[in-house]
């Protein structure tokens, strides 16, 4: 069994690290200052500029097929790069990406939505969650009623990332109540903001914030159906599935950086005439963090590897998401403890991570939903204990 990275993986990972360290990390202090003034740490044009700079380094469209100018990287490579991105709290991501399900678009939709999203000229958001349907996504109610060659959408979506900035939404609506959500009764639509939906900002404990999207008789032409009629829920689950190994990949980067800060602090801060790192209480926090971090790393890479094998990644991804999210919350909490009062201040980014990582246990499937999936797979015999090695 070989746990080492290939030369190519190491080279790409190191170049990503170099880019983040040289180009993004230096923006952190300014980002913190702006966020404290309730402004975005990085505005859209600055993000774009950085993404174009990264393109020159070769980073463009990590998951995007080559025919659209992307790198089409294997999932393991993508995971390694997202870990590097996680090392900075500046809200940076590499450009040239689009929602995975936008590739189901037909040729006309590809020109109108997919390509401009990849190019960064349009901003998308994805909406399935509603005020009455989160974990229980199959309970969505937002309706689309056929009217001639159009569909008329009514209802509300909530907690939608990018919902304030997006100029179009991929929204999952109920098109056939009789069939039900799991029986082919839902459809995904591409809906421009100009067609009439509006967004309302939701304040959260994190920076930025999602939005509620309100649809009141929003008229959408049939040509804006994404994929097939009846395929909406399936597309929604595909969209959510992708994040389940990428979210913990960024968690890994956060934990690595934060733990590094704790080690440095433990080696310099003195109390009672000696460095705090000489106390077992501090050493144990560092040791526990390293063990959890490594355990999460292998769960995450295994989930990504499962994707690359073309096997069903759901079980492995749920374990990676559940454990990775818990790990980063534990590590950031300990890192704050090691820093004492300084950890609680806004001089350092630790309190910011503390607020940011809490979300990882909630969105794209809560801890409880991941446990439900993992246990259901075992109880119903879909997966064997020990997975592919059993
Ligand atoms: C910042 C942010 C960004 C988001 N971005 C998006 C987005 O872009 N698009 C989108 O569609 N959605 C998005 N979401 C929604 C997110 O996916 C949901 O919040 C999440 O799925 C949980 O749903 P809920 O909030 O309705 O909680 P609920 O489903 O009401 O759950 C409440 C609690 O009960 C638990 N629970 C529920 N059912 C069970 C059960 N059967 N057994 C045990 N425990 C249970 C849950 O785990 C949770 O702890 C976002 C949310 C946030 C906060």
């Amino acid at each position: 069994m070989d746990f080492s990275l290939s030369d190519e993986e190491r080279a790409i990972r190191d170049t990503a690290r170099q880019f983040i360290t040289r180009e993004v990390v230096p923006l952190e202090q300014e980002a913190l200052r702006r966020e404290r003034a309730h402004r975005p740490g990085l505005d859209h044009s600055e993000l774009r500029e950085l993404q174009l700079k990264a393109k020159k380094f070769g980073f463009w469209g990590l998951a995007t097929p080559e025919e659209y100018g992307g790198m089409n990287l294997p999932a393991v490579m993508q995971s390694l790069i997202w870990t590097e991105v996680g090392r900075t709290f500046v809200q940076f991501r590499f450009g040239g990406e689009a929602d995975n399900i936008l590739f189901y678009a037909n040729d006309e939709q590809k020109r109108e939505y997919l390509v401009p999203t990849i190019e960064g000229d349009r901003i998308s958001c994805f909406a399935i969650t509603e005020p009455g349907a989160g974990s229980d996504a199959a309970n969505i109610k937002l309706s689309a009623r056929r009217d001639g060659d159009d569909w008329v959408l009514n209802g509300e979506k909530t907690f939608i990332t990018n919902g304030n900035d997006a100029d179009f939404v991929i929204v999952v609506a109920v098109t056939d109540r009789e069939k039900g959500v799991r029986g082919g009764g839902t459809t995904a639509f591409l809906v421009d903001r100009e067609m009439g939906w509006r967004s309302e900002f939701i304040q959260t404990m994190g920076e930025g914030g999602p939005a509620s999207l309100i649809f009141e008789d929003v008229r959408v032409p049939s040509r804006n159906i994404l994929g097939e009629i009846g395929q909406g829920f399936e597309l929604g689950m595909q969209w959510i599935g992708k994040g389940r190994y990428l979210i913990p990949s960024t968690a890994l980067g956060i934990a690595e950086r934060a733990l590094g800060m704790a080690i440095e602090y433990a080696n310099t801060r003195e109390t009672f005439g000696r460095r705090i790192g000489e106390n077992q209480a501090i050493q144990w926090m560092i040791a526990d963090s390293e063990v959890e971090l490594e355990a999460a790393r292998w769960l995450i890479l295994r989930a990504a590897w499962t994707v690359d094998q073309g096997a069903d990644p759901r079980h492995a991804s749920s374990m990676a998401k559940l454990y990775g999210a818990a790990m980063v919350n534990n590590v950031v909490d300990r890192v704050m403890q090691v820093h004492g009062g300084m950890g609680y201040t806004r001089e350092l980014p630790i309190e910011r991570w503390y607020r940011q990582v809490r979300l990882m246990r909630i969105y794209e499937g809560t801890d409880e939903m991941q446990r439900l999936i993992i246990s259901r797979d075992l109880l119903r015999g879909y997966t064997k204990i020990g997975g592919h090695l059993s």
Side-chain angles (χ1 to χ4, degrees):
M1 194 172 288
D2 185 358
F3 286 95
S4 58
L5 298 180
S6 70
D7 289 347
E8 192 194 3
E9 284 165 343
R10 192 177 295 278
I12 297 179
R13 195 271 318 266
D14 289 351
T15 316
R17 180 170 296 180
Q18 237 178 46
F19 182 82
I20 297 293
T21 310
R22 285 195 198 153
E23 304 292 340
V24 190
V25 170
L27 309 175
E28 289 185 344
Q29 287 312 310
E30 176 59 19
L32 276 185
R33 256 194 303 278
R34 289 186 194 175
E35 285 175 352
R36 272 176 230 138
H38 307 290
R39 288 163 49 210
L42 200 62
D43 69 30
H44 190 60
S45 65
E46 291 167 326
L47 173 64
R48 190 93 199 269
E49 205 178 303
L50 271 177
Q51 289 177 336
L52 292 175
K53 211 179 245 185
K55 195 177 182 181
K56 289 192 188 138
F57 269 72
F59 289 101
W60 185 257
L62 307 182
T64 304
E66 281 151 15
E67 58 183 299
Y68 296 97
M71 299 169 84
N72 196 22
L73 293 174
V76 165
M77 196 66 249
Q78 288 184 52
S79 168
L80 293 170
I81 295 173
W82 276 100
T83 297
E84 296 309 312
V85 175
R87 294 175 70 87
T88 177
F89 54 82
V90 175
Q91 286 182 316
F92 171 78
R93 60 185 184 279
F94 289 110
E97 298 276 338
D99 309 73
N100 56 351
I101 58 173
L102 259 188
F103 289 92
Y104 285 89
N106 61 33
D107 288 347
E108 193 187 331
Q109 293 167 342
K110 279 181 178 158
R111 273 192 301 277
E112 206 177 327
Y113 296 96
L114 174 68
V115 175
T117 304
I118 291 172
E119 295 301 322
D121 295 327
R122 297 199 73 173
I123 302 175
S124 66
C125 63
F126 166 78
I128 190 161
T129 306
E130 298 183 3
S135 302
D136 186 11
N139 196 30
I140 56 167
K141 298 279 186 293
L142 186 141
S143 67
R145 178 177 50 82
R146 200 194 279 266
D147 184 23
D149 202 30
D150 291 341
W151 293 78
V152 180
L153 273 58
N154 276 291
E156 185 179 339
K157 295 292 181 184
T158 195
F159 294 132
I160 307 307
T161 304
N162 278 342
N164 300 294
D165 306 314
D167 61 86
F168 77 96
V169 56
I170 308 169
V171 64
V172 181
V174 178
T175 40
D176 190 334
R177 213 165 285 285
E178 305 277 288
K179 286 187 178 161
V181 165
R182 290 186 195 276
T186 61
T187 303
F189 292 86
L190 299 165
V191 191
D192 298 81
R193 192 182 283 266
E194 284 164 5
M195 290 175 181
W197 56 269
R198 63 176 203 279
S199 60
E200 287 172 5
F201 182 78
I202 302 170
Q203 298 250 5
T204 63
M205 71 190 272
E207 298 303 330
S212 286
L213 311 188
I214 293 114
F215 292 75
E216 284 167 351
D217 290 330
V218 173
R219 191 167 277 276
V220 183
S222 287
R223 63 182 166 80
N224 279 39
I225 287 173
L226 177 66
E228 306 291 328
I229 293 181
Q231 208 191 357
F233 191 68
E234 188 193 317
L235 290 179
M237 292 305 106
Q238 271 193 45
W239 188 94
I240 289 168
K242 174 134 196 247
R244 292 200 175 151
Y245 70 89
L246 292 182
I247 291 169
S249 300
T250 60
L252 214 50
I254 296 171
E256 283 177 358
R257 174 107 182 264
L259 182 57
M261 284 174 61
I263 292 168
E264 202 179 313
Y265 200 73
N267 276 331
T268 48
R269 175 74 176 170
E270 291 191 2
T271 63
F272 303 97
R274 59 180 191 161
R275 285 170 293 153
I276 58 168
E278 289 174 39
N279 299 297
Q280 273 193 341
I282 301 286
Q283 291 162 3
W284 288 5
M285 284 195 267
I286 289 171
D288 288 348
S289 297
E290 164 75 343
V291 172
E292 288 176 25
L293 205 156
E294 273 307 294
R297 188 190 312 283
W298 296 111
L299 278 176
I300 294 160
L301 287 173
R302 179 176 152 210
W305 176 86
T306 308
V307 173
D308 288 336
Q309 300 306 304
D312 185 345
R314 278 177 297 183
H315 192 78
S317 294
S318 283
M319 290 198 289
K321 164 82 166 53
L322 174 66
Y323 193 80
M327 175 280 293
V328 75
N329 275 272
N330 294 343
V331 170
V332 169
D333 185 72
R334 293 189 195 109
V335 169
M336 184 177 281
Q337 197 66 20
V338 168
H339 281 79
M342 270 312 290
Y344 193 66
T345 68
R346 293 200 163 179
E347 300 288 307
L348 297 178
I350 302 168
E351 65 81 34
R352 189 195 182 287
W353 279 319
Y354 194 85
R355 289 181 287 117
Q356 178 191 347
V357 301
R358 190 60 184 81
L359 175 63
M360 292 181 175
R361 295 183 49 204
I362 296 173
Y363 74 166
E364 300 197 19
T366 61
D367 285 359
E368 292 71 28
M369 289 305 106
Q370 307 308 336
R371 288 194 170 94
L372 195 112
I373 293 166
I374 296 163
S375 60
R376 188 185 52 200
D377 287 349
L378 291 169
L379 288 165
R380 295 190 186 166
Y382 301 155
T383 309
K384 287 188 193 152
I385 299 169
H388 70 285
L389 291 181
S390 62

